[in-house]
Amino acid sequence: MTNINMIFVANWKMHGNFNDISKVKTVLNLIKNKKYKKIKIIYCPPFTLIKSFSNYFNNTKLNIGAQNCYYKSDYGPYTGNVNAKLIKSAGAKYIILGHSENRNEGETDLLINQKIKSVLKEKLSIIFCIGETIDEKKKKITFQVLKRQISKGLKGIKNTNKIIIAYEPVWSIGSGIVPSRNELEKNIKKIKKILKQFKFKNSVKILYGGSVNSKNANEISKIDGIGGLLVGGASLNSKKFIDIIKKTSN
Ligand code: PGA
């Protein structure tokens, strides 16, 4: 990952069908240009599309990821669940974990930690989401929240080579509101401080996610310590996603 200066993750959430592969192709065509050789794109479609997307984009510059996984690493009688082993066999190389939409459904730090360990067992990479809610921000406990999420989520993990952190303030996701430059700079510094406290490598990439669009992407990406963007809504529209990539890579 050392030669990569910007990572773009497309989180499709619960959207998409096989015909959408044509949208993704237009993004691939763009990044074939030498100008984009230092960027990495990771598409995270729903489970149902992982196999077809991985087959189609095999040996291209596009990487495929999943949006979550079950915490058990072995096969077994777990109806309706999909673990890292199955995701790997479908061709994905990345898994988003700890997304606030899943934390909101009851995912705890402990469960996320178990999931992270199960993914590392399969040697896949993780996009580990952290971020404070609006109430936590108002109570001025963002640092404590991020510290808890990182220390518990990464408990017992010594090698962070396969971990990318995505800082996503919950109040920013899907709301059209992004933190001010000042606030974002401060929170990225907080994350770096926490990583240092727990002796995690300084080289861990930190992405920003939450209402990224072509108007704010450039400014956000210039903030010291930000190594990429996690894009939800805007990544469903390839024109918007391409605009974000173009604006950020200039
Ligand atoms: P958004 O979603 O870009 O639609 O705000 C980001 C995310 O939830 O990862």
Side-chain angles (χ1 to χ4, degrees):
M1 227 178 265
T2 40
N3 284 326
I4 296 296
N5 58 18
M6 217 45 196
I7 299 175
F8 297 87
V9 181
N11 175 13
W12 276 13
K13 309 193 181 189
M14 207 169 73
H15 300 278
N17 61 57
F18 182 74
N19 295 333
D20 291 326
I21 214 153
S22 60
K23 294 184 187 171
V24 186
K25 276 199 278 182
T26 60
V27 176
L28 177 61
N29 286 339
L30 174 86
I31 59 161
K32 277 180 185 159
N33 188 317
K34 269 215 303 266
K35 193 172 155 195
Y36 299 105
K37 75 170 187 280
K38 286 196 166 180
I39 71 167
K40 179 184 280 243
I41 301 209
I42 307 166
Y43 263 92
C44 301
F47 285 136
T48 48
L49 295 175
I50 289 178
K51 180 74 179 161
S52 46
F53 276 34
S54 315
N55 283 352
Y56 197 92
F57 296 108
N58 193 19
N59 290 324
T60 71
K61 279 194 70 183
L62 278 182
N63 300 275
I64 305 300
Q67 300 168 16
N68 199 358
C69 72
Y70 192 54
Y71 74 101
K72 298 245 186 207
S73 48
D74 290 325
Y75 297 127
Y78 312 114
T79 305
N81 290 298
V82 181
N83 68 357
K85 221 187 256 295
L86 290 172
I87 290 168
K88 185 180 180 178
S89 73
K93 303 260 183 336
Y94 292 80
I95 304 186
I96 296 175
L97 290 175
H99 194 283
S100 64
E101 283 153 16
N102 296 318
R103 290 183 190 262
N104 214 10
E105 297 280 329
E107 236 182 34
T108 61
D109 293 309
L110 173 66
L111 182 59
I112 295 163
N113 178 254
Q114 289 171 318
K115 291 184 179 193
I116 290 179
K117 287 178 177 158
S118 77
V119 174
L120 291 177
K121 219 171 160 183
E122 294 305 320
K123 300 190 168 46
L124 299 181
S125 296
I126 293 149
I127 299 154
F128 172 41
C129 302
I130 56 172
E132 79 287 1
T133 63
I134 190 69
D135 282 352
E136 291 162 342
K137 172 180 147 77
K138 282 184 183 155
K139 284 189 198 142
K140 299 194 188 321
I141 55 166
T142 299
F143 184 77
Q144 288 92 313
V145 171
L146 297 176
K147 189 169 169 178
R148 191 205 73 227
Q149 291 173 336
I150 293 174
S151 62
K152 295 198 170 175
L154 298 184
K155 193 169 181 202
I157 287 150
K158 296 211 167 54
N159 189 340
T160 47
N161 282 352
K162 289 195 167 292
I163 294 180
I164 298 167
I165 289 187
Y167 171 56
E168 300 204 294
V170 182
W171 48 274
S172 185
I173 296 174
S175 64
I177 304 166
V178 294
S180 68
R181 188 187 175 99
N182 190 24
E183 183 174 6
L184 197 44
E185 266 169 2
K186 276 194 196 147
N187 289 345
I188 297 295
K189 277 198 189 128
K190 283 178 188 154
I191 295 169
K192 285 194 169 282
K193 189 172 165 190
I194 298 163
L195 289 172
K196 205 167 162 194
Q197 270 181 10
F198 289 96
K199 300 202 168 37
F200 293 119
K201 275 197 197 147
N202 195 25
S203 57
V204 176
K205 282 252 187 209
I206 304 171
L207 317 183
Y208 168 78
S211 293
V212 173
N213 61 37
S214 61
K215 291 197 182 81
N216 58 30
N218 188 33
E219 191 179 353
I220 294 173
S221 67
K222 293 241 162 68
I223 290 176
D224 198 31
I226 291 193
L229 301 169
L230 200 171
V231 188
S235 72
L236 285 165
N237 177 314
S238 53
K239 202 179 152 320
K240 287 186 182 168
F241 196 48
I242 284 174
D243 256 9
I244 291 171
I245 297 167
K246 281 185 173 167
K247 294 255 164 69
T248 311
S249 312
N250 283 334

